[in-house]
Amino acid sequence: MSDLQLRQRQILNLFERVAQPFSPKPDIVFELPEFVFPSSVGAVPPTGSTRPSLSPPADVLNIPELELVKTVPRGRLFSSFHPAHREAAYALVRIFKNAPTVADMLNLAAHPDIRDQVNEHIFVFALSAALIQRQDSRSLRTPPIWEIFPGKFFETRVRSEAQTTVQQQLNKQFSVTKPIIIDKNFAATDRVVENKLSYFREDLGINSHHWHWHLIFPVEATADIVNPPDRRGELFYYMHQQILARYDAERIANGLARVTSYHDWDQPILEAYFPKLTTANGAIHWASRPSGLVLKDINIPDEEVELGIEFHIDDLQLWRTRILHAIHKGSVVKGNGQVVHLDDKTGTNTLGELIEASQWSADKLFYGDLHNFGHIAMCYIHDPDRSHSENMGVMGDSVTAMRDPIFYRWHKFIDSLFQQFKATLSPYSAQQLTLEGITVNSVEVHRNQPPTPGSTRQKNLIITGWQESIVELDRGLDFSSSTPVQARVTHLQHEDFSYRIQVTNSTKTSQDIVFRIFLAPIKDHSGRPFSFREQRLLMIELDKFVARVTPGANLVKRKSDESSVTIPFERTFRDLETAAPAVPLAPGGNNVKRTNFCGCGWPDHFLVPRGVPNPGMPFTLFVMATSWKEDRVNDETTTATGTHSHCTHTGDDTKKLCRNAASYCGILDDKYPDKRPMGFPFDRPPDKSITTLAKFVEKSPNITTAEIRIQFEDRVIRRFPQ
Ligand code: CUO
């Protein structure tokens, strides 16, 4: 086993059954130095581990102070929105990042004081964060979060069925085990209209994306841990705005009105959510949120099982007022009195840090902790002082928050703050919206598959349906099994398609062009066409890429699975065990799609919204060409080759190994690869005279639009074997 393979296997081993005492596999060696087993803690070396003959530097591998890390006890839920929980988690991230080598870090992680005594959610959070942030671990992969914590994704019933499956294997009742079938609407029935959206809110890939995003863009980290990621606050705005646009497209397809902002905080929340999830192997449930509850002041005392937190809903009101004051005055004031103007270049970013609120907030004392405390207020709405000793609801954890309908209403409110700021900026000028010498004549989408009976069109039609994928449960449960325990989940899928863009370059030289592709519904749920002011907020980014356009006519082709917003379905524990670790690509290599990614990215099975049955749901497809020469951020990020504009051809191999989908996740340790504001050209309201999309694009030959349809077929579509 190579060193890389050993590290990869160690990571998988460490992430197995994290709620249970660590059990190293017989062939995986953790070289725990002797002094990490002090008799005072009574720790016993795990079976299979060996004691090293070498003496590592004592100041590094000595077990560090864990008091702060352990303030959130093992077996309890963890909230990355809770300041004290974050502090505990980051104390452990810091310990892991300070280990001199990856091997040291993994050996440290296996130490019984850490692996068996630290809160299991904090352990996974901290080790995942350290693996992403360390430059020397970029070729190593973590397993999908749903296999580490199946309890955060699958209802409790699945766990008992898994136990039955294992028992049947032991009794040899069945030689071949069947996967457990997980209903795509397990949490509720369609009798409640909001539950029609369960396939979106409870999707594995969507929730995994959200967890990874918050892992990569931590709120709490200090500079010794992470340099402020480039345009982090703006990404907070944009990534969540895009979630809302995508959710609205699904709502419209299901006959529902767009999501409404939750800003009347003394009004009851009518949309209920009953998660039916348990964690700690069934011992702890996530609280339900029945309809009609009203936000209350949070007053949770310090006690054994949770860290206390106290704030008033009035505090949220006050922070909102101060933030709106800043937006309308056009500036925020830092703690030291320095005035920071909210300009069109950095204003969104400054506001994002302020609203979320991260440690990069201009003044957290004054502008508060609005977004994070909203999550906390909602996750304890049922027991705001824990007088019933109830656990939090799903809004408290970034892995589960997107399951709850209130997530979208809360984020719609958060987004409304950004939109109020955007409305203070000048509309884009004709010069910003045009590109001399480049005409985008037309765009079409083409299906890659032959037409199925009943749907013969190939052009400007995208077919969606369901895909069944197998996930493995046994590594995340509290019992081991010699054969895998699998579940079959059903999730949205679409047929592969390609864009064909006709472009004329009337200059005399080849040009590197950025193509910006968006999609938005044309009509609302009642069939009323959207005005441009409404439709611009529904624009979903599908892709952004660079291609070279030669003088004269060009046909630019792009495949749907090359999108800059998506990543493929994550690999299982088993895949990762057998796969060779990623190795640095050859210069110019581009085989990153299926092998190298870090987990942040919209799931590619949800690239496009579901649409409706035959004849399909009409959407506007929008393509804009801008100049790469003007939009590129630096010379190192990429060269234009018509491939991904975000991960190839850098001088630094570590970056190539870790492919995030850059549009929503940026690039690790690098600049966001586009100078334009995120969401350009739809992030600002247009001039008042522009009321239709046609008028918006009429003076821009570098923009074209097409009407396409997305047709949902209630059948299984297979895009890749699972
Ligand atoms: Cu992602 Cu509120 O920020 O959940």
Side-chain angles (χ1 to χ4, degrees):
M1 199 184 307
S2 73
D3 192 58
L4 260 184
Q5 279 167 330
L6 172 64
R7 302 299 159 225
Q8 182 65 71
R9 299 277 318 270
Q10 284 178 323
I11 290 168
L12 298 172
N13 199 174
L14 284 164
F15 280 140
E16 274 187 38
R17 290 179 268 281
V18 285
Q20 295 299 304
F22 186 42
S23 168
K25 291 193 181 305
D27 61 332
I28 301 178
V29 174
F30 285 90
E31 297 188 332
L32 300 171
E34 246 172 50
F35 64 82
V36 301
F37 301 114
S39 53
S40 59
V41 295
V44 176
T47 323
S49 66
T50 61
R51 295 176 183 225
S53 51
L54 299 170
S55 299
D59 58 331
V60 174
L61 280 178
N62 227 333
I63 281 298
E65 179 54 63
L66 292 166
E67 199 181 331
L68 181 56
V69 180
K70 290 181 182 173
T71 47
V72 182
R74 202 164 161 77
R76 299 300 305 175
L77 299 182
F78 162 71
S79 172
S80 58
F81 302 108
H82 187 310
H85 286 210
R86 286 197 304 260
E87 224 181 294
Y90 260 85
L92 188 57
V93 177
R94 205 164 277 118
I95 287 168
F96 286 151
K97 284 198 74 179
N98 282 339
T101 65
V102 181
D104 293 333
M105 176 176 75
L106 297 176
N107 286 332
L108 199 58
H111 185 271
D113 268 10
I114 293 185
R115 173 59 172 74
D116 294 351
Q117 291 196 27
V118 163
N119 175 286
E120 60 273 33
H121 306 279
I122 286 186
F123 177 81
V124 169
F125 177 96
L127 190 52
S128 306
L131 282 163
I132 289 171
Q133 289 167 19
R134 290 182 72 112
Q135 295 275 353
D136 58 359
S137 49
R138 293 280 160 85
S139 58
L140 298 165
R141 297 288 164 267
T142 53
I145 188 69
W146 59 78
E147 292 193 357
I148 302 173
F149 288 121
K152 296 191 185 193
F153 291 86
F154 308 117
E155 63 178 319
T156 313
R157 171 189 69 84
V158 172
R159 184 180 170 276
S160 41
E161 278 194 36
Q163 253 175 333
T164 309
T165 305
V166 170
Q167 200 51 48
Q168 286 169 341
Q169 284 165 17
L170 288 174
N171 298 345
K172 305 253 186 297
Q173 279 172 269
F174 299 104
S175 54
V176 179
T177 56
K178 287 190 195 148
I180 298 161
I181 309 295
I182 297 178
D183 186 349
K184 58 186 181 300
N185 280 2
F186 72 75
T189 67
D190 272 5
R191 286 201 298 278
V192 176
V193 289
E194 289 294 324
N195 295 335
K196 290 183 179 178
L197 275 298
S198 298
Y199 68 94
F200 182 97
R201 291 199 308 263
E202 293 172 359
D203 183 78
L204 299 185
I206 287 178
N207 284 287
S208 171
H209 160 66
H210 190 242
W211 139 260
H212 277 284
W213 193 94
H214 282 280
L215 194 66
I216 291 174
F217 300 105
V219 167
E220 202 66 25
T222 48
D224 63 315
I225 289 290
V226 194
N227 294 321
D230 186 43
R231 294 167 71 179
R232 184 195 168 287
E234 188 179 2
L235 265 171
F236 171 76
Y237 143 73
Y238 184 54
M239 194 281 285
H240 289 89
Q241 188 275 333
Q242 285 287 289
I243 287 176
L244 293 170
R246 289 172 173 277
Y247 189 56
D248 273 344
E250 298 299 336
R251 292 181 69 87
I252 294 164
N254 282 277
L256 301 180
R258 283 168 291 161
V259 72
T260 54
S261 156
Y262 177 55
H263 53 268
D264 288 334
W265 300 331
D266 51 359
Q267 292 300 306
I269 299 171
L270 300 181
E271 301 86 351
Y273 187 65
F274 294 82
K276 298 179 183 58
L277 300 179
T278 55
T279 184
N281 292 308
I284 296 184
H285 69 277
W286 299 82
S288 293
R289 197 177 53 69
S291 174
L293 298 187
V294 181
L295 285 190
K296 300 247 174 50
D297 294 345
I298 298 296
N299 185 9
I300 298 173
D302 285 337
E303 51 184 44
E304 239 178 73
V305 291
E306 291 278 356
L307 294 167
I309 184 166
E310 184 186 349
F311 59 91
H312 297 169
I313 301 308
D314 271 358
D315 295 331
L316 303 185
Q317 304 274 20
L318 180 65
W319 296 335
R320 167 168 63 183
T321 304
R322 287 173 175 173
I323 290 167
L324 284 170
H325 184 273
I327 289 169
H328 295 135
K329 278 283 182 195
S331 59
V332 299
V333 183
K334 282 184 157 182
N336 61 8
Q338 188 193 340
V339 175
V340 180
H341 290 288
L342 297 174
D343 59 27
D344 57 358
K345 292 229 160 36
T346 59
T348 314
N349 193 57
T350 305
L351 268 182
E353 304 290 16
L354 200 76
I355 293 169
E356 187 185 1
S358 76
Q359 66 156 77
W360 294 286
S361 164
D363 186 355
K364 211 160 172 174
L365 196 63
F366 187 75
Y367 297 105
D369 209 339
L370 181 60
H371 156 265
N372 294 325
F373 276 22
H375 274 268
I376 297 284
M378 278 167 249
C379 80
Y380 284 120
I381 193 171
H382 55 287
D383 193 11
D385 56 5
R386 287 199 83 235
S387 50
H388 297 281
S389 301
E390 265 294 303
N391 301 311
M392 67 184 190
V394 294
M395 272 291 273
D397 187 335
S398 61
V399 184
T400 53
M402 288 185 69
R403 308 176 86 80
D404 188 333
I406 196 61
F407 172 94
Y408 304 87
R409 294 199 59 202
W410 177 243
H411 270 280
K412 186 77 178 174
F413 157 67
I414 295 292
D415 189 61
S416 74
L417 299 174
F418 290 105
Q419 297 305 338
Q420 289 187 63
F421 167 64
K422 292 283 186 183
T424 68
L425 304 175
S426 315
Y428 287 116
S429 64
Q431 196 222 339
Q432 286 167 305
L433 293 173
T434 52
L435 177 58
E436 202 156 326
I438 299 293
T439 303
V440 181
N441 304 296
S442 66
V443 59
E444 290 174 351
V445 292
H446 284 252
R447 298 169 66 187
N448 295 354
Q449 283 90 341
T452 49
S455 56
T456 50
R457 282 173 58 199
Q458 286 294 92
K459 206 170 82 171
N460 291 348
L461 178 72
I462 297 172
I463 301 291
T464 64
W466 302 115
Q467 170 148 3
E468 293 176 333
S469 290
I470 295 291
V471 298
E472 292 173 6
L473 298 179
D474 47 307
R475 318 290 183 100
L477 300 171
D478 57 349
F479 43 84
S480 53
S481 158
S482 50
T483 51
V485 179
Q486 296 182 324
R488 184 183 297 148
V489 296
T490 302
H491 56 82
L492 192 70
Q493 189 54 283
H494 58 274
E495 286 183 358
D496 282 312
F497 59 91
S498 310
Y499 308 96
R500 293 189 195 175
I501 305 167
Q502 299 281 356
V503 190
T504 306
N505 175 359
S506 46
T507 72
K508 292 197 168 59
T509 55
S510 290
Q511 308 278 334
D512 288 338
I513 298 298
V514 187
F515 289 92
R516 301 165 187 273
I517 308 184
F518 290 86
L519 180 83
I522 291 174
K523 296 173 185 168
D524 75 6
H525 65 298
S526 66
R528 180 185 63 89
F530 285 121
S531 70
F532 179 60
R533 284 180 168 267
E534 294 169 305
Q535 199 191 25
R536 83 174 173 90
L537 294 174
L538 296 167
M539 284 288 178
I540 294 167
E541 184 174 331
L542 289 185
D543 204 351
K544 180 163 57 182
F545 64 96
V546 181
R548 182 155 293 171
V549 171
T550 54
N554 293 256
L555 172 63
V556 175
K557 291 185 190 170
R558 175 80 167 177
K559 290 187 195 149
S560 57
D561 70 355
E562 292 174 308
S563 166
S564 64
V565 304
T566 59
I567 58 167
F569 206 79
E570 289 187 63
R571 315 181 94 195
T572 64
F573 265 100
R574 216 163 298 275
D575 288 341
L576 289 168
E577 257 170 12
T578 50
V583 289
L585 299 170
N590 188 31
N591 59 335
V592 289
K593 184 66 187 176
R594 293 255 165 225
T595 53
N596 304 312
F597 61 92
C598 294
C600 188
W602 194 252
D604 77 348
H605 61 262
F606 248 110
L607 173 67
V608 294
R610 196 200 73 170
V612 301
N614 198 354
M617 177 168 159
F619 283 84
T620 300
L621 183 68
F622 172 100
V623 179
M624 178 177 199
T626 60
S627 160
W628 181 234
K629 205 165 87 190
E630 283 168 30
D631 296 348
R632 73 187 302 166
V633 172
N634 58 42
D635 290 339
E636 292 192 353
T637 305
T638 187
T639 56
T641 60
T643 59
H644 302 294
S645 60
H646 53 275
C647 61
T648 58
H649 317 297
T650 72
D652 179 353
D653 282 346
T654 59
K655 285 171 196 158
K656 294 175 206 159
L657 287 172
C658 201
R659 184 202 174 230
N660 284 325
S663 286
Y664 298 165
C665 299
I667 304 176
L668 280 170
D669 305 328
D670 211 337
K671 298 271 189 209
Y672 189 80
D674 183 7
K675 259 191 207 158
R676 305 264 183 169
M678 295 176 200
F680 173 84
F682 297 112
D683 63 307
R684 293 186 199 174
D687 187 85
K688 282 199 173 50
S689 63
I690 293 171
T691 51
T692 62
L693 178 66
K695 208 152 170 56
F696 182 66
V697 305
E698 74 181 359
K699 294 191 178 130
S700 303
N702 55 318
I703 296 177
T704 194
T705 62
E707 182 174 329
I708 68 161
R709 286 181 175 262
I710 301 183
Q711 184 171 310
F712 169 64
E713 298 182 358
D714 198 1
R715 63 178 172 87
V716 170
I717 284 182
R718 275 181 187 276
R719 268 188 59 215
F720 52 88
Q722 265 283 343

